[in-house]
Amino acid sequence: MTRLPAPRSDLGLREGYHSPQLEVEVRLNTNESPYPPPREWLEAVTEQARDMAFNRYPDRSARALREALAQLHGVGPEQIFAANGSNEVLQCLCLAYGGAGRKAAMWEPTYALHSHIAHLTGTEVVQGARKADFTLDLDACQRLMEREQPSLVFVCSPNNPTGTAEAPSTVSALVEASQGLVVVDEAYGQFASWSALELVGDEVPLVVVRTYSKTWSMAGLRLGYMVGPAKVVETMERVALPYHLDGLKQAAGRLALKFFSQMEDRVSQVVAERERVQTALVKMNQKVWPSQANFVLFRPPTSTGRDVWEALVARSVLVRDTSSWPGLEGCLRVTVGTPDENDRFLAALEEVLR
Ligand SMILES: *Cc1c(COP(=O)(O)O)cnc(C)c1O
């Protein structure tokens, strides 16, 4: 008999979120950028680090970082909340607006962490389904919201793992209809043709969540942020731990923005490659959903998905096996890599399908 206490019973047996990593030559399974951030950025961060007073607590309000982000988006610094990855932003949103007796709505298949974090914070998860093209069914969304009255409404656009983006009119209509806070997760925002940032306002129940992990090539930095009403930001500050954002990260995130055009260049390269990969997949008779992100969801027509995934691993190419996820039967998700990596993936797939 163990003397260790039992954890909260409502945690259940949920598996933590993870993507298995294997030793392969071509890693296209976690939607990271294939390119490192600019060397000049690293030099600037190193220089800052030399001058930092590490014996002192960092700026609790992350003022300089928030001012820089506010300038980037043409909003006020009081409309920005930053945290350790956008996942921590989502967690703070659930802590502040979810919790016992409250609900969070989302439409599957979508980013697994939305339901996971809601669940961890004791927020009841209410789920609807997407249309066959994986976009939202506005009428069904409105019915679910009317029936359940969720305090949080999660919209992932472009949606992970499908790559599909919502139309501006859909997001506007959801914000219009919602009694709760609409959270648009734009982890892939810069890859898309449209952003919900243009809808943000101090009296609008909408927040847009962004991350340094994908387009900024800084998944290892763990920095994300939210743009939304100043009142929501104030509330977020009450649930975040004091000094949650360390000083070095604040500086690194602020300095990254000086390399905006390099970020845009990387994004353009990835978008061009995404179009090439999509076209090649269609030519190989794969079912493909049009992506506005840095990955492509596809379904091999005559397989379980899992067997193709295994055959790709045998050729040292790792993609994400989504074939057993509800609503994604037989599907695989491939992250767009460098032109070389994409060539390797396409050649391996061609060989597997033969
Ligand atoms: C990758 C991803 C994130 C990023 O989370 P971080 O904690 O910022 O690394 C957030 N949302 C979605 C939908 C993602 O795919």
Side-chain angles (χ1 to χ4, degrees):
M1 264 287 275
T2 177
R3 292 196 54 241
L4 299 176
R8 265 167 53 190
S9 60
D10 67 333
L11 284 185
L13 287 174
R14 288 179 154 253
E15 238 183 284
Y17 171 88
H18 60 256
S19 179
Q21 286 301 349
L22 301 171
E23 278 305 315
V24 290
E25 284 162 22
V26 182
R27 217 172 84 179
L28 301 174
N29 67 328
T30 46
N31 297 349
E32 292 148 317
S33 169
Y35 305 109
R39 171 161 293 279
E40 295 76 20
W41 168 75
L42 190 59
E43 281 160 10
V45 174
T46 311
E47 201 166 304
Q48 280 279 304
R50 281 198 201 97
D51 293 339
M52 282 185 71
F54 281 103
N55 55 321
R56 301 292 180 193
Y57 282 108
D59 172 13
R60 187 169 170 171
S61 67
R63 189 78 196 173
L65 170 64
R66 287 165 63 196
E67 272 170 3
L69 284 167
Q71 200 169 20
L72 175 68
H73 292 303
V75 298
E78 70 286 349
Q79 292 177 303
I80 306 272
F81 173 78
N84 295 286
S86 54
N87 287 332
E88 195 189 26
V89 176
L90 299 171
Q91 186 187 51
C92 287
L93 282 165
C94 284
L95 286 171
Y97 293 92
R102 289 179 165 227
K103 297 174 181 175
M106 59 205 68
W107 290 273
E108 302 291 337
T110 190
Y111 188 46
L113 276 186
H114 291 164
S115 57
H116 184 69
I117 294 172
H119 189 84
L120 287 179
T121 57
T123 313
E124 186 186 336
V125 173
V126 292
Q127 284 155 315
R130 285 165 185 268
K131 294 189 287 196
D133 68 0
F134 290 133
T135 59
L136 295 177
D137 178 342
L138 189 54
D139 287 340
C141 291
Q142 285 171 338
R143 279 197 301 276
L144 183 83
M145 283 166 27
E146 212 158 285
R147 189 174 70 237
E148 305 287 353
Q149 297 287 311
S151 351
L152 285 163
V153 174
F154 286 106
V155 176
C156 195
S157 181
N159 184 45
N160 183 6
T162 62
T164 47
E166 295 308 324
S169 56
T170 304
V171 177
S172 299
L174 286 175
V175 173
E176 195 69 30
S178 177
Q179 303 286 315
L181 190 62
V182 176
V183 179
V184 180
D185 186 337
E186 287 194 354
Y188 305 96
Q190 296 96 325
F191 295 114
S193 54
W194 171 80
S195 167
L197 280 167
E198 64 191 53
L199 301 175
V200 168
D202 270 342
E203 294 307 321
V204 183
L206 164 74
V207 299
V208 176
V209 181
R210 290 241 168 151
T211 178
Y212 281 71
S213 295
K214 314 284 163 55
T215 51
W216 289 100
S217 294
M218 294 176 188
L221 186 66
R222 309 306 305 129
L223 182 59
Y225 62 96
M226 174 201 99
V227 186
K231 272 196 183 129
V232 175
V233 170
E234 243 173 67
T235 308
M236 300 288 274
E237 280 162 351
R238 282 161 54 193
V239 297
L241 294 175
Y243 308 112
H244 69 299
L245 218 52
D246 69 78
L248 194 54
K249 179 176 316 199
Q250 291 182 29
R254 178 175 52 79
L255 292 166
L257 306 186
K258 295 189 191 294
F259 302 92
F260 182 79
S261 68
Q262 286 91 329
M263 182 276 285
E264 288 207 306
D265 290 346
R266 292 192 304 272
V267 167
S268 313
Q269 284 178 56
V270 169
V271 167
E273 278 296 294
R274 174 187 78 201
E275 298 305 306
R276 182 171 79 87
V277 169
Q278 282 192 150
T279 306
L281 286 170
V282 169
K283 269 200 193 130
M284 280 186 236
N285 292 319
Q286 310 297 290
K287 166 79 182 157
V288 174
W289 285 268
S291 170
Q292 292 220 22
N294 67 339
F295 55 85
V296 180
L297 186 77
F298 66 101
R299 189 173 61 209
T302 56
S303 90
T304 61
R306 179 76 194 177
D307 49 355
V308 170
W309 181 82
E310 279 170 3
L312 288 173
V313 170
R315 287 162 181 79
S316 213
V317 176
L318 182 61
V319 301
R320 189 72 182 262
D321 179 13
T322 55
S323 63
S324 62
W325 296 14
L328 295 177
E329 287 74 19
C331 293
L332 300 175
R333 189 194 70 190
V334 61
T335 304
V336 177
T338 62
D340 269 359
E341 289 174 323
N342 302 331
D343 283 342
R344 289 265 323 252
F345 159 68
L346 291 169
L349 183 64
E350 190 141 38
E351 206 178 285
V352 169
L353 295 171
R354 220 180 276 142

